[in-house]
Amino acid sequence: VKDFNGIDQVLLRNPQGASARVSLHGGQVTSWRNAHGEELLFTSTKAIFKPPKAMRGGIPICFPQFGNCGALEQHGFARNKLWKIDENPPHLPLSDSQGNSFVDLILKPSEEDLKFWPHIFEFRLRVSLATDGRLTLISRIRNINGKPFNFSFACHAYLSVSDISEVRVEGLETLDYIDNLFQKERFTEQGDALTFESEVDRVYVSSPSMVAVIDHEKKRTFVIRKEGLPDVVVWNPWEKKSKAMPDFGDEEYKQMLCVDGAIIEKPVTLKPGEEWTGRFELSVVPSSFCSDL
Ligand code: TA6
C-alpha cells in the first residue's frame, strides 16, 4: 500500500483479522490493530507524514543513538531514512516465522550517511504479526566494516491508552532510573506500580524481560516482552511539553504513553563481523489476567 507521500507501507494481516502496517520510511510500524480492528498504537492527529521527519506515533526505531546524547540528530537517523524490503532475509528460527505474517526490511548506510557516521552496518528488521495478534520487532545489527563501533537503540513504542491518569506500569518497581527531567541524574523507583500525574521522561536500567502497562478504563493490559534490550524508556510529555510540540495535540498526552525497549545506559560495542540482536514484543491481554503475569 502507498501512504500519504507515496511511500510504501507493508500491510500484515493474520487469519483472525488483526493487522499491522510498516512504513519503508524509517522502518516504522505505523499501525497495530487487534482482531476487532481496534488501533492499539497512538498516532497524533497532528502527525507530519513528511520525510525525513518521523511520524509522531507508532513505533519509531531509534538508532544508532537514543535521545540527544551524541553528535547525531535526536534519536539517530534510522527513523528518517528510507528502508528497503530485504530480498535475502536472515534465516531466523522457524518459531519466528511459523504461522506469522511478517516482513523483513533492511537499512544500510549511503555514502552520504557515512559522512556523518563512518561505520558500515547492516540493520535487518523483521516485523512479525503472530496468529494470536502479538507484534514482534526483531532487530539485527551487524558491523560490516573494519573497525568497532558503539550504538544505543530503542523501539520507541507509542501505546494508545484511554486515560493516562488511569494507567499503571508494573515491572519497574525498585529499579534505578535515569531521569531526563533532572539532568539525567540517577534515582531509585520507590513506588509499587508507576502511575502518572505529570511529565515523565525516564530510562529504567537493567529492567526485567517483561513489563505490563495496565489501562484500567479499557480493562486491558499491554504486555511487553524483550530480549537484548535491558532498559525501558517511559515517557509522557504532559501538558506543557505537548503544547510545545507542533506535531502533537495539546490534550493528546492523555491518550498515549511511550514505553520503549531500549539499550541506552550501556551502549552496544560491535567488533567487525559481530551482530547484535534485540527482540521487542507487544501483546494485549484482558486486564483480568494481569494478576497472573
Ligand atoms: O522518550 C524520550 C524522549 O527523548 C523524550 O525526551 C522526547 O524527546 C521523546 O523522546 C520524543 O522525541 P522525538 O524526537 O520523537 O520528538
Side-chain angles (χ1 to χ4, degrees):
V1 295
K2 297 277 182 195
D3 72 6
F4 302 79
N5 292 292
I7 289 183
D8 293 323
Q9 298 229 20
V10 177
L11 175 64
L12 304 174
R13 298 193 78 84
N14 79 359
Q16 292 69 21
S19 67
R21 280 174 188 261
V22 191
S23 173
L24 293 191
H25 177 64
Q28 186 167 349
V29 172
T30 55
S31 169
W32 173 43
R33 291 170 187 255
N34 63 17
H36 311 296
E38 215 180 341
E39 180 59 61
L40 300 167
L41 297 178
F42 168 85
T43 296
S44 171
T45 53
K46 297 174 73 179
I48 299 168
F49 297 88
K50 186 160 178 30
K53 175 122 182 77
M55 180 200 87
R56 175 76 60 193
I59 309 178
I61 299 286
C62 303
F63 170 82
Q65 167 193 299
F66 180 80
N68 45 20
C69 54
L72 299 173
E73 68 229 74
Q74 161 100 335
H75 293 329
F77 51 74
R79 66 176 178 167
N80 300 330
K81 293 287 170 197
L82 201 56
W83 292 54
K84 291 189 172 68
I85 301 281
D86 186 0
E87 302 305 342
N88 57 332
H91 299 290
L92 287 171
L94 213 54
S95 59
D96 279 323
S97 47
Q98 212 147 27
N100 296 353
S101 165
F102 63 89
V103 64
D104 287 301
L105 303 180
I106 186 163
L107 177 71
K108 296 187 212 178
S110 65
E111 286 310 310
E112 185 63 19
D113 297 333
L114 290 170
K115 290 179 193 156
F116 295 99
W117 201 64
H119 305 297
I120 302 176
F121 67 88
E122 281 179 2
F123 185 158
R124 287 180 154 83
L125 173 66
R126 171 168 293 188
V127 180
S128 173
L129 181 68
T131 48
D132 65 2
R134 75 182 63 192
L135 182 72
T136 304
L137 280 68
I138 304 173
S139 298
R140 299 155 69 94
I141 297 166
R142 179 183 290 278
N143 179 344
I144 304 292
N145 79 339
K147 52 188 180 8
F149 61 70
N150 305 330
F151 66 87
S152 51
F153 172 96
C155 290
H156 197 37
Y158 284 76
L159 304 178
S160 174
V161 297
S162 44
D163 174 356
I164 187 63
S165 58
E166 299 279 319
V167 168
R168 266 190 5 260
V169 177
E170 292 186 353
L172 302 175
E173 300 80 1
T174 73
L175 290 183
D176 280 2
Y177 62 87
I178 299 161
D179 198 325
N180 221 5
L181 303 180
F182 292 92
Q183 294 79 34
K184 296 189 175 15
E185 266 185 56
R186 212 180 167 95
F187 298 83
T188 303
E189 184 55 57
Q190 303 302 334
D192 47 3
L194 222 60
T195 53
F196 301 87
E197 298 84 26
S198 60
E199 182 183 356
V200 170
D201 191 348
R202 301 173 178 173
V203 179
Y204 285 84
V205 294
S206 314
S207 60
S209 64
M210 185 162 73
V211 175
V213 179
I214 297 136
D215 181 338
H216 179 72
E217 198 165 306
K218 286 235 169 97
K219 303 233 173 310
R220 72 178 173 206
T221 295
F222 288 97
V223 179
I224 294 167
R225 292 182 177 84
K226 52 196 180 63
E227 288 162 35
L229 298 167
D231 305 331
V232 171
V233 179
V234 178
W235 175 56
N236 187 290
W238 219 256
E239 194 162 359
K240 186 160 163 277
K241 192 153 279 181
S242 298
K243 290 194 165 76
M245 290 190 282
D247 60 345
F248 195 86
D250 292 357
E251 302 284 309
E252 285 188 326
Y253 68 92
K254 294 176 181 169
Q255 285 100 36
M256 56 70 73
L257 180 66
C258 271
V259 184
D260 310 3
I263 184 158
I264 298 169
E265 188 198 30
K266 299 188 180 86
V268 179
T269 297
L270 281 186
K271 297 191 192 71
E274 271 188 336
E275 180 173 83
W276 170 83
T277 301
R279 230 185 126 84
F280 182 69
E281 182 195 287
L282 284 173
S283 54
V284 175
V285 295
S287 287
S288 48
F289 295 126
C290 76
S291 49
D292 307 345
L293 289 179

